Amino acid sequence: MARTLADRQDVIPVLAEVFRDHGFEGASLSAITARTGLGKGSLYNFFPGGKAEMAEVVLAHIDGWFRAHVFEPLERTGDGLKAVEAMFQATDAYFRSGQRVCVVGVFALGDARDLFTEQVHGYFAAWVRALAGALVRAGRDPDQAQTQAEEVVAGIQGALVLSRALNDTGVFTRTLARLRRTLADD
Amino acid sequence: MARTLADRQDVIPVLAEVFRDHGFEGASLSAITARTGLGKGSLYNFFPGGKAEMAEVVLAHIDGWFRAHVFEPLERTGDGLKAVEAMFQATDAYFRSGQRVCVVGVFALGDARDLFTEQVHGYFAAWVRALAGALVRAGRDPDQAQTQAEEVVAGIQGALVLSRALNDTGVFTRTLARLRRTLADD
DNA sequence: TACGTTGTGGACCGATTGGTACAATGAAGC
DNA sequence: GCTTCATTGTACCAATCGGTCCACAACGTA
């Protein structure tokens, strides 16, 4: 029979979408096979640790994307407010204006949190910390920066839950607009 | 052997906690049996429609609690700001200051949303609508009321996600305090 | 061209799933 | 006290789960 020749790196974003759509438990190997086109021999060849390793790799991939596009720009852009604006743009793009949910958030609310405690914690802690740092560089005092960072990250997560529950991506868009204004005011 | 004699109404809150902790798919019948102490004969006697009916009953039960303690007080209390404050107190109590997550939010992010679309949508739509109504009675113009209601409900959901991810219920408490201030200002 | 290595797909495995069937037990009524 | 009915627990079912194993095919090298 004709065979797929695949590359591990190419599989990871597809895997991410399966976990995003279905959660950790809902993402069965048959759902993964259907979406990736790869049989178990290939999947276990790329990910000898099985499904848990697939999820770990997906979390690391997402963490890497956010590190490159959100956390490090927040940490390194001199102009704090510019950094924050870039964060909003990257986040809006990543979540496709509310059309896709946050895998880490999905994992946080389920049994997967117990399996991937450090990755889930680390992702959110890094985001809050990086954003607080940018706000401090924008002139906020540290306590206020921490409070606003928490508000923004929680606000984004909540908007994703509500958007999906109400089937209305406008909720996400309006929330980002409001959070932008919140941070612009001083 | 000794048998449990159970009442359907008593089982529902216990079922709710299983779905809250594990999500819809993660809540296997064996997990439900372990937590409720009931075998399948009893579970299927109470819930002939099986697991989907158990989840429906749980969602209806939660909806009923929120209707009684949150949505209707928001709709019926003449003093809009008093109603809002009561909502915050009830919500804080229900989520035990961030120690327990929102079943409906958990379902919203997973495959269960597709099974329980109307219940998930209805719960959040009712909450936003009731809160917006109270804010209008408190003197906000309707657009502002709607925006603030969305902000609060999304904020609560986001705080639950972040609290659980960071294993820090302080996030929830601080978020409620901030949302209270947001609504108190005019 | 032949042989060895690597990657693939899917059959098969034991375990668990949601659900069904039914025997046993307890309660209620006569 | 006996009979009937309701509730219970669990054996059993087919299906699916995550994972293992292996035959086969393709590719690379001598």
Side-chain angles (χ1 to χ4, degrees):
Chain A
M1 68 191 113
R3 296 156 60 140
T4 311
L5 262 186
D7 185 56
R8 187 186 199 260
Q9 284 311 112
D10 294 333
V11 172
I12 297 170
V14 186
L15 265 186
E17 296 313 298
V18 182
F19 285 116
R20 190 185 314 275
D21 290 344
H22 299 286
F24 181 72
E25 281 121 356
S28 62
L29 294 184
S30 60
I32 290 169
T33 290
R35 191 84 69 95
T36 59
L38 299 173
K40 289 186 180 138
S42 305
L43 290 171
Y44 280 82
N45 181 37
F46 294 142
F47 309 102
K51 193 179 165 188
E53 184 180 339
M54 295 175 209
E56 279 173 13
V57 163
V58 158
L59 289 173
H61 178 262
I62 289 168
D63 198 83
W65 192 94
F66 271 82
R67 200 165 297 283
H69 294 89
V70 176
F71 308 161
E72 284 173 12
L74 284 170
E75 283 155 7
R76 291 185 183 153
T77 304
D79 183 331
L81 288 183
K82 258 192 173 80
V84 165
E85 178 47 33
M87 177 202 81
F88 278 122
Q89 287 177 7
T91 300
D92 193 32
Y94 182 85
F95 293 121
R96 294 188 195 146
S97 303
Q99 286 172 33
R100 349 151 68 192
V101 301
C102 175
V103 177
V104 194
V106 171
F107 280 21
L109 288 182
D111 285 327
R113 190 200 63 153
D114 299 329
L115 293 171
F116 307 108
T117 305
E118 289 188 25
Q119 293 97 324
V120 169
H121 186 286
Y123 167 89
F124 284 113
W127 195 348
V128 171
R129 186 164 52 243
L131 179 54
L135 290 171
V136 164
R137 292 203 308 286
R140 313 298 151 93
D141 70 82
D143 287 344
Q144 190 193 13
Q146 182 67 22
T147 296
Q148 287 183 321
E150 212 170 74
E151 172 176 3
V152 166
V153 175
I156 289 168
Q157 289 305 306
L160 290 170
V161 173
L162 202 60
S163 290
R164 193 166 146 91
L166 295 177
N167 203 23
D168 174 11
T169 56
V171 172
F172 187 79
T173 300
R174 292 189 291 273
T175 298
L176 283 205
R178 198 181 54 250
L179 293 171
R180 276 172 158 115
R181 288 197 299 274
T182 295
L183 294 193
D185 296 341
D186 195 7
Chain B
M1 68 184 117
R3 314 156 105 202
T4 313
L5 263 186
D7 185 56
R8 186 186 202 260
Q9 284 311 112
D10 295 334
V11 172
I12 297 171
V14 186
L15 264 187
E17 294 314 297
V18 183
F19 284 115
R20 189 184 315 273
D21 290 344
H22 299 287
F24 181 71
E25 281 121 356
S28 62
L29 293 185
S30 60
I32 289 167
T33 291
R35 192 84 69 95
T36 59
L38 299 173
K40 289 187 182 137
S42 307
L43 289 171
Y44 280 82
N45 181 38
F46 294 143
F47 308 103
K51 192 180 165 188
E53 184 181 338
M54 294 175 210
E56 280 172 11
V57 163
V58 158
L59 289 172
H61 178 261
I62 289 169
D63 198 84
W65 191 95
F66 272 82
R67 200 164 297 280
H69 294 89
V70 177
F71 308 161
E72 284 174 10
L74 283 169
E75 284 155 4
R76 293 189 182 149
T77 305
D79 184 331
L81 288 183
K82 258 194 173 83
V84 165
E85 178 48 33
M87 178 202 81
F88 278 122
Q89 288 178 8
T91 301
D92 194 34
Y94 182 85
F95 292 120
R96 293 191 194 143
S97 303
Q99 286 171 33
R100 348 153 66 194
V101 301
C102 176
V103 177
V104 193
V106 171
F107 280 22
L109 287 183
D111 285 327
R113 189 201 64 155
D114 299 328
L115 293 172
F116 307 109
T117 305
E118 289 187 25
Q119 293 95 327
V120 168
H121 187 288
Y123 167 88
F124 284 113
W127 194 348
V128 171
R129 185 165 53 243
L131 179 53
L135 292 171
V136 164
R137 292 202 310 284
R140 312 298 151 94
D141 71 84
D143 287 344
Q144 191 194 14
Q146 182 68 22
T147 296
Q148 286 184 321
E150 210 170 75
E151 172 176 4
V152 166
V153 175
I156 289 169
Q157 290 304 307
L160 291 169
V161 174
L162 203 58
S163 290
R164 194 169 146 91
L166 295 177
N167 203 22
D168 174 10
T169 57
V171 173
F172 187 79
T173 298
R174 292 190 290 275
T175 298
L176 281 205
R178 199 181 53 250
L179 293 170
R180 274 173 159 113
R181 287 198 299 274
T182 295
L183 295 192
D185 296 342
D186 195 8

